[in-house]
Amino acid sequence: MIDDLNPFIYSHPLAAEDVIDRDDETHELLKKAVGGHYVRLYAPRKYGKTSLLLKALQEGATEEGLVPIHVDLYRAVSLADVAVRFERAYSQQLKGAIRGKIDSFLKTTGVGLSLGAFGISARLQLDSKADPLPALHTLLALPLELEKHGGYRAFIVLDEFQDIDKIPGLDGLIRSHIQYHGSVASYVFAGSEPGLMKQLFESRDRPLYGSAVPMRLGRLADRDIAAYVIERFRETGRDVGDALNPLLESADGHPKQAMLLAHLVWEEVSQGETATFADWETAHEAALDELHAEFEAQWRGLDTSQQKTLRALVDGGGSPYRTDVLRRLSLTKDMVRKALPRLLAAAEIELHERKYVIVDPLFAEWIGAPSRPRAGG
Ligand SMILES: Nc1ncnc2c1ncn2[C@@H]1O[C@H](COP(=O)(O)OP(=O)(O)OP(=O)(O)O)[C@@H](O)[C@H]1O
Ligand SMILES: [Mg+2]
């Protein structure tokens, strides 16, 4: 049996006990939930939104008696998709005495919903013309039902919420329900695309305008990552040694890249051994190899002026307007000015202490590495 397992996970959301720090954010989310406020949580991809949300939901259930429901809207493209995601979320997560009551209630509505195996997803599969709207209305109104059947307050997380922007009218539909839920449910809308989240919540003509308090998830502090990495190495009979400092520097507080690098350093070290700088170098190279295809796709998804602006940022050490750099890349200030807001909206870059930084430090390294393909050279 394999019992010497790598303790650094980077491919999926973490269990609550594995989450570094984020105690303040968890507390803040719970405080808002208990107080009946709605929150929109924003962070770039892989900053640990889902991990934090799962932790908050778990604590909300055990400490505050909330009914936790996590709905993943990733790439939902239709009302039918959304109905299925909501139904499956309730089906997998609703526990205890309330579950039976809600299941019976759903069956009496006659719109095809069930917490068992044969619910709306099955019906929609059998009959592609079936209208998902009545089912969706019922699901969106479920918090009222939870309240009726035992005074439960629901804590509902809508993860990857920006993806609903592609479904016409859905934000209005959601608003029409949640505006009456203040006393029975709390909502968190989480998303990773600042541009889309802004459109949904900050445009006056959109239904959800101003309906949720903004909360932003930042990078992790080096000392928190350090403590975690040292401890996990120790627990598995290893010492992170000289690999720690370059790891912290390279990860630059990016939660997932920190875990990826720690994972790969750990792979280089046998039980009872201490990592060396050479181990770090091997792990670092392995990380860039592993990410190469992903970065290439990310790079190809950008237009030339965005690519060059990223280059200018890397080559200019964070300032995108350095004359010599611009000349070398045949880039004008005007092109940079136009590219920056688009890069910000897509969370490729962010403002950090009044400077633009590339969100993913390893992507920045990849862009700056002379042997890799890039614009203008
Ligand atoms: N607080 C944290 N402590 C330790 N690792 C973390 C933390 N937050 C994120 N990570 C790392 O990042 C990875 C991705 O986390 P998670 O899926 O929660 O992020 P996300 O922001 O929801 O990502 P996505 O944009 O893909 O939805 C985790 O597998 C873990 O390696
Ligand atoms: Mg997520």
Side-chain angles (χ1 to χ4, degrees):
M1 200 176 104
I2 300 171
D3 56 2
D4 189 26
L5 288 176
N6 193 317
F8 301 101
I9 291 162
Y10 65 94
S11 54
H12 55 79
L14 303 176
E17 64 274 16
D18 290 328
V19 172
I20 302 178
D21 191 36
R22 304 298 195 207
D23 291 335
D24 291 349
E25 289 89 345
T26 309
H27 183 71
E28 190 60 29
L29 275 175
L30 284 182
K31 214 169 77 187
K32 293 261 167 25
V34 172
H37 303 285
Y38 301 171
V39 176
R40 62 185 143 110
L41 174 74
Y42 162 74
R45 290 234 85 87
K46 303 296 170 197
Y47 262 39
K49 292 176 296 300
T50 304
S51 301
L52 164 69
L53 293 166
L54 295 177
K55 183 174 149 105
L57 285 165
Q58 188 181 318
E59 286 182 18
T62 53
E63 286 163 26
E64 308 293 341
L66 304 171
V67 176
I69 301 291
H70 177 259
V71 186
D72 189 351
L73 296 169
Y74 184 64
R75 294 206 176 154
V77 293
S78 64
L79 293 176
D81 273 359
V82 175
V84 170
R85 304 287 174 93
F86 267 86
E87 186 199 52
R88 289 304 93 190
Y90 277 102
S91 156
Q92 285 156 11
Q93 298 160 47
L94 204 56
K95 303 263 154 53
I98 186 72
R99 184 186 173 90
K101 293 180 186 163
I102 292 297
D103 200 23
S104 311
F105 163 76
L106 288 176
K107 292 197 173 105
T108 62
T109 63
V111 292
L113 291 164
S114 157
L115 297 184
F118 196 87
I120 192 72
S121 42
R123 177 181 287 197
L124 291 167
Q125 252 166 35
L126 287 177
D127 176 4
S128 58
K129 284 204 266 324
D131 181 7
L133 203 55
L136 188 52
H137 273 296
T138 307
L139 289 162
L140 288 172
L142 265 191
L144 298 169
E145 224 42 51
L146 290 169
E147 153 75 20
K148 219 185 279 170
H149 289 286
Y152 299 96
R153 181 176 190 83
F155 183 13
I156 300 177
V157 167
L158 306 182
D159 207 349
E160 304 289 354
F161 190 68
Q162 77 252 322
D163 287 5
I164 74 139
D165 197 44
K166 292 183 213 82
I167 308 169
L170 184 55
D171 55 348
L173 193 68
I174 289 176
R175 180 198 140 108
S176 71
H177 285 275
I178 68 169
Q179 65 179 340
Y180 303 116
H181 290 180
S183 58
V184 300
S186 301
Y187 291 86
V188 178
F189 310 91
S192 50
E193 287 226 21
L196 290 174
M197 289 295 275
K198 236 183 150 79
Q199 266 177 44
L200 282 164
F201 291 98
E202 292 176 34
S203 320
R204 284 180 181 278
D205 56 342
R206 297 298 294 262
L208 293 173
Y209 172 74
S211 63
V213 226
M215 183 170 160
R216 215 203 117 98
L217 204 53
R219 294 176 188 238
L220 296 172
D222 279 356
R223 63 175 183 284
D224 294 328
I225 300 176
Y228 185 92
V229 171
I230 290 168
E231 180 63 12
R232 301 275 152 137
F233 266 79
R234 202 187 51 72
E235 282 169 4
T236 49
R238 291 159 174 83
D239 188 331
V240 66
D242 288 342
L244 181 64
N245 285 333
L247 183 157
L248 295 175
E249 193 169 323
S250 181
D252 197 19
H254 187 294
K256 183 249 160 177
Q257 302 305 33
M259 289 305 115
L260 169 66
L261 291 166
H263 182 102
L264 293 169
V265 171
W266 191 95
E267 288 296 313
E268 295 303 310
V269 189
S270 310
Q271 221 167 34
E273 304 282 315
T274 298
T276 62
F277 188 72
D279 291 329
W280 156 254
E281 288 181 312
T282 311
H284 178 237
E285 202 43 47
L288 289 173
D289 280 351
E290 179 167 331
L291 293 165
H292 184 70
E294 195 183 302
F295 287 163
E296 195 129 292
Q298 197 173 335
W299 187 249
R300 270 194 250 106
L302 301 166
D303 64 31
T304 313
S305 68
Q306 289 176 311
Q307 290 176 344
K308 288 187 178 186
T309 301
L310 289 180
R311 264 292 297 282
L313 264 175
V314 171
D315 294 359
S319 70
Y321 292 116
R322 273 190 26 197
T323 325
D324 55 330
V325 175
L326 293 185
R327 191 175 322 116
R328 183 151 40 79
L329 296 169
S330 15
L331 189 61
T332 64
K333 285 192 177 167
D334 196 43
M335 286 163 78
V336 174
R337 255 192 305 273
K338 285 187 182 136
L340 287 173
R342 288 189 297 132
L343 290 165
L344 281 168
E348 290 293 351
I349 62 174
E350 61 184 346
L351 263 174
H352 184 62
E353 289 166 4
R354 302 240 203 114
K355 273 196 147 179
Y356 293 109
V357 289
I358 294 180
V359 165
D360 184 338
L362 294 180
F363 190 40
E365 247 189 76
W366 182 88
I367 293 167
S371 60
R372 321 243 180 219
R374 20 172 225 187

